[in-house]
Amino acid sequence: MAGLRTFFNSLHVHFLLVLFLVITPPVYLFYQNNLYAMNQIRHQVSESTSNLLTAYARNMDRTLLETQKYLVKLRDVTDVTLLNAYPQDSDEYRLARKGVSDKLSADIGFYNQIDALFVYSASNDDMLIGSNTNYYTTMNEIKERLPNLLNQKQNTSDWSIARTGRGYVLTKIIELNAGLYAGAWIEMDTLTRSWNVQDGERTDRAMVVGGQGEVLTQYVHAGWSNRAYGLWNGSRPSYAAVESDNGMKYLAIGSTSSNAPLSYVVLIEENRLLDNLTYYQRTVYWTPAAVLVILLLYFMFYRNIIYRPIKRMIFGMKRLSHGQFDIRLQEKASNEFRFLMQSFNHMAAEIEHLKISVYDEQLRAKNAEFKHLQAQINPHFYMNSMNVVYSLAEIREYSLIQQMAVHLVDYFRFATRTNRSLITLEEELLHIRSYMEIQKLRFPGKLAFECHVYDRLGEMAVPPLMVQPFVENAVKHGMMNGSSVFTVSVEARLESGSPYDQPFVIITVTDNGRGFTQESLHVLSENKLEESWGDSHLGIWNVLNRLQIKYGDSARVRFANGEDSGAVVTIFLPYREQAFHADAEGA
């Protein structure tokens, strides 16, 4: 019993039952007693007219084919070939010209559907025609359009459509010999002339339509439009019911030419087909009232079964979009809407967990910025290295340059690998050692470097170029003039317990130079390097920003002066066991 109740509470069952009870009777009467008869009449008239129009189109195609064959045979006419053999002012040319003119004038009488046949000699710029219409008007139109037609280089199997001052024409031009052409000229109204004069005046007059639905004849049926052509063209059946822009319904019947890019179309008003179907027309008149009643019944059904549940869901979605995650929808609806509302309630309960995806997106953005900042630091190192090489070359210490070359190879080998996001601390310290050896060669006897790494911290994964900028800054700004040796020390150790709330790896860079000024300590401790110093300390600025992106607030850098002299830079990194090996290799 419960299963049966669930079945009848289905939205599909409700919809089908109401639709069947309300729509089936009028639809049955309408289609069985009205549309069937109308379709039969439409089909019979369409089939009859279509057969006539197809026969007419085939007859015109035969005419076009015979005309094309005639043009080709002109190659074998002696007078035609002599037009290119003699100059225009010679007697031989005049005799040949007269022979061709007489032939065209005589032969055009056999082609009633052709308006003109012509031969054109390009070398003599001379045209001869035989015409079934006004001789001089046709000649002037052909001469005006001929250059464009010759430029098209038509294929011998194709007819083409051209536009003149009086309308559209169908043309065919073939090249008999070099510079000698023969052609045919047909006005579009000529193609439908035989059809339109049948039975005197008739309402189903034919038109010629191009490939895009444009009417090519001077006669245009009031019901024709490109929208009507969209329902019927050469790739569809030979007839279709269409509606014009003015709302009139027509039966469009057409036949496509096989020899030319055009179609013959006849439009018949449907009202004329149904003049004797008074009963069926009355049925059509009452159809809007019946449809209105059906729509009112359907609206009541739709409002209770579909509209109200959808409105409740929209209301809940709006509340959810405003951040009210405790919104819940009442699940009193059909089975389908109940499922949707249950899904909505479950989504609202779980939506907070989806914030993880937002967090991942932020990580990706920070990673992109991390890559950008890391790439930004490289040109800074390259510039300083070139300055060192230049200085040694300037003092002509070639033996020192050779030693420096070895260190520069190691230095730049590291630099070319800094596209990795993580390296080991040992690799960073080897890079610093290469840098200090280069500086020792520049300042012999003035520099010393010490390095102490405790436990296995050398295997810890750290961002590249994290310590080197501080060593470089110490050498650049901490050295004092005098005989004393400037010493830079790097120490790495692990600290845990009080006063630290978690284990930290502490990396210290110390020197015995002049130390930081109070102003510098203020700028560094407040991280205002870019505002105060611009690009002059780009390396340190990049280190601070990359540590923030990589570790957040868990990492920090402290700047201070030593008890006696010199500067002290202390880097605090969170200690994580998984930061050994795996991260560096995955970078």
Side-chain angles (χ1 to χ4, degrees):
M1 191 67 179
L4 187 61
R5 187 184 302 110
T6 301
F7 172 78
F8 280 104
N9 198 36
S10 170
L11 177 64
H12 295 290
V13 174
H14 289 168
F15 178 81
L16 292 176
L17 286 176
V18 174
L19 191 64
F20 178 82
L21 295 175
V22 174
I23 296 180
T24 298
V27 169
Y28 177 82
L29 294 175
F30 181 81
Y31 282 93
Q32 293 299 322
N33 298 301
N34 188 2
L35 292 182
Y36 177 78
M38 294 171 61
N39 289 334
Q40 288 297 317
I41 294 175
R42 182 187 295 112
H43 177 73
Q44 292 174 6
V45 173
S46 301
E47 187 174 6
S48 174
T49 306
S50 177
N51 291 336
L52 291 174
L53 190 60
T54 300
Y56 183 83
R58 289 176 180 174
N59 181 61
M60 295 304 302
D61 285 341
R62 283 194 296 271
T63 300
L64 296 179
L65 184 60
E66 292 173 359
T67 303
Q68 180 176 323
K69 293 179 180 179
Y70 172 81
L71 295 177
V72 174
K73 290 180 179 179
L74 288 178
R75 288 194 179 102
D76 301 327
V77 178
T78 304
D79 287 338
V80 174
T81 58
L82 291 177
L83 291 178
N84 269 1
Y86 298 102
Q88 190 173 9
D89 56 354
S90 65
D91 293 336
E92 290 83 353
Y93 182 84
R94 294 188 184 94
L95 290 174
R97 187 180 189 280
K98 186 177 186 309
V100 174
S101 179
D102 292 343
K103 179 175 178 58
L104 293 177
S105 298
D107 293 345
I108 191 65
F110 296 102
Y111 298 93
N112 295 327
Q113 282 88 11
I114 306 298
D115 291 303
L117 298 171
F118 63 89
V119 174
Y120 174 71
S121 173
S123 60
N124 294 313
D125 191 23
D126 189 19
M127 177 177 289
L128 305 174
I129 73 168
S131 175
N132 282 326
T133 59
N134 187 290
Y135 181 89
Y136 293 102
T137 301
T138 304
M139 175 178 285
N140 291 333
E141 289 181 345
I142 295 175
K143 284 184 176 181
E144 181 182 355
R145 294 296 303 169
L146 188 60
N148 291 335
L149 296 175
L150 293 179
N151 288 335
Q152 294 177 4
K153 297 181 180 180
Q154 304 175 26
N155 188 286
T156 57
S157 62
D158 296 333
W159 289 74
S160 64
I161 299 173
R163 187 181 182 91
T164 68
R166 295 191 300 158
Y168 292 93
V169 295
L170 187 64
T171 64
K172 178 65 183 178
I173 298 178
I174 64 173
E175 187 173 8
L176 303 177
N177 292 307
L180 186 62
Y181 302 91
W185 184 271
I186 310 173
E187 295 181 4
M188 290 300 176
D189 288 306
T190 304
L191 294 177
T192 58
R193 182 170 54 200
S194 299
W195 174 276
N196 291 333
V197 298
Q198 299 178 45
D199 300 331
E201 295 182 358
R202 54 191 301 172
T203 58
D204 56 344
R205 295 182 62 185
M207 303 180 300
V208 177
V209 179
Q212 301 300 323
E214 69 278 16
V215 178
L216 305 179
T217 52
Q218 293 183 2
Y219 167 72
V220 181
H221 197 286
W224 183 257
S225 67
N226 284 344
R227 182 176 61 183
Y229 180 75
L231 298 176
W232 175 87
N233 55 50
S235 62
R236 293 178 179 269
S238 59
Y239 64 90
V242 300
E243 184 175 346
S244 67
D245 294 334
N246 59 11
M248 292 294 293
K249 294 183 178 180
Y250 297 90
L251 200 61
I253 305 167
S255 179
T256 302
S257 173
S258 59
N259 291 334
L262 51 81
S263 301
Y264 303 92
V265 179
V266 172
L267 268 70
I268 304 176
E269 294 184 18
E270 284 200 353
N271 290 337
R272 192 164 61 86
L273 300 177
L274 306 176
D275 288 340
N276 297 323
L277 299 178
T278 306
Y279 172 79
Y280 299 109
Q281 286 181 320
R282 288 178 180 176
T283 305
V284 174
Y285 295 151
W286 282 101
T287 299
V291 171
L292 180 60
V293 174
I294 294 173
L295 288 178
L296 290 175
L297 295 174
Y298 179 78
F299 174 78
M300 296 174 59
F301 161 78
Y302 174 79
R303 183 173 181 271
N304 294 322
I305 304 300
I306 300 177
Y307 176 75
R308 286 183 176 177
I310 292 178
K311 187 176 181 180
R312 289 202 301 268
M313 292 186 64
I314 294 175
F315 172 78
M317 290 178 182
K318 288 182 178 179
R319 300 287 294 274
L320 188 65
S321 66
H322 287 86
Q324 187 176 347
F325 300 134
D326 59 342
I327 184 67
R328 296 295 183 269
L329 300 178
Q330 295 182 359
E331 299 177 2
K332 295 180 180 180
S334 61
N335 295 340
E336 291 76 6
F337 279 109
R338 183 182 297 112
F339 173 78
L340 291 176
M341 293 176 183
Q342 289 174 350
S343 301
F344 175 87
N345 294 336
H346 180 73
M347 177 188 66
E350 298 293 332
I351 196 169
E352 290 184 350
H353 298 290
L354 297 180
K355 292 181 179 179
I356 298 175
S357 62
V358 178
Y359 176 73
D360 291 339
E361 186 66 26
Q362 293 174 346
L363 286 182
R364 285 192 290 270
K366 286 188 175 183
N367 186 57
E369 183 180 357
F370 178 86
K371 293 288 186 181
H372 175 71
L373 293 173
Q374 180 176 319
Q376 202 174 18
I377 200 171
N378 292 334
H380 181 67
F381 295 135
Y382 298 157
M383 180 183 66
N384 290 338
S385 300
M386 294 302 101
N387 286 337
V388 173
V389 175
Y390 176 80
S391 299
L392 290 176
E394 189 176 39
I395 61 177
R396 299 185 179 181
E397 292 290 345
Y398 302 116
S399 60
L400 295 180
I401 292 177
Q402 291 177 345
Q403 298 178 37
M404 180 173 289
V406 176
H407 297 299
L408 285 176
V409 168
D410 294 334
Y411 181 89
F412 286 114
R413 181 183 295 114
F414 179 89
T416 57
R417 297 175 60 191
T418 54
N419 60 331
R420 298 183 300 169
S421 60
L422 293 173
I423 61 172
T424 63
L425 180 60
E426 181 179 0
E427 290 178 301
E428 175 78 5
L429 296 177
L430 288 176
H431 178 60
I432 295 174
R433 194 177 299 278
S434 298
Y435 171 78
M436 291 301 296
E437 292 299 326
I438 294 172
Q439 297 297 339
K440 285 181 182 180
L441 291 174
R442 183 181 177 188
F443 304 104
K446 296 289 185 178
L447 286 174
F449 175 67
E450 300 175 355
C451 181
H452 304 284
V453 179
Y454 297 94
D455 299 326
R456 51 191 287 262
L457 297 181
E459 302 175 5
M460 178 180 177
V462 297
L465 301 177
M466 182 188 67
V467 183
Q468 192 269 349
F470 297 111
V471 176
E472 180 180 347
N473 187 72
V475 175
K476 184 176 180 181
H477 300 285
M479 287 185 63
M480 298 182 295
N481 295 329
S483 58
S484 61
V485 177
F486 181 74
T487 303
V488 179
S489 300
V490 177
E491 180 186 28
R493 67 183 188 277
L494 178 63
E495 294 286 351
S496 60
S498 179
Y500 306 107
D501 55 354
Q502 68 179 73
F504 275 96
V505 175
I506 300 177
I507 303 173
T508 305
V509 180
T510 60
D511 64 69
N512 59 350
R514 58 173 55 95
F516 297 111
T517 64
Q518 291 301 318
E519 179 184 358
S520 298
L521 285 175
H522 175 73
V523 172
L524 292 169
S525 61
E526 297 294 332
N527 195 9
K528 297 182 178 179
L529 283 77
E530 188 175 17
E531 301 174 8
S532 303
W533 295 337
D535 294 338
S536 59
H537 290 74
L538 180 63
I540 296 178
W541 181 85
N542 268 316
V543 171
L544 297 178
N545 279 275
R546 289 189 295 131
L547 289 177
Q548 176 65 29
I549 293 174
K550 178 65 178 176
Y551 300 103
D553 295 334
S554 299
R556 60 184 184 273
V557 180
R558 185 175 65 193
F559 299 90
N561 287 322
E563 296 181 359
D564 298 327
S565 64
V568 179
V569 178
T570 307
I571 304 172
F572 297 86
L573 299 179
Y575 176 81
R576 292 178 296 184
E577 188 66 29
Q578 63 269 26
F580 291 83
H581 293 297
D583 286 355
E585 294 174 359

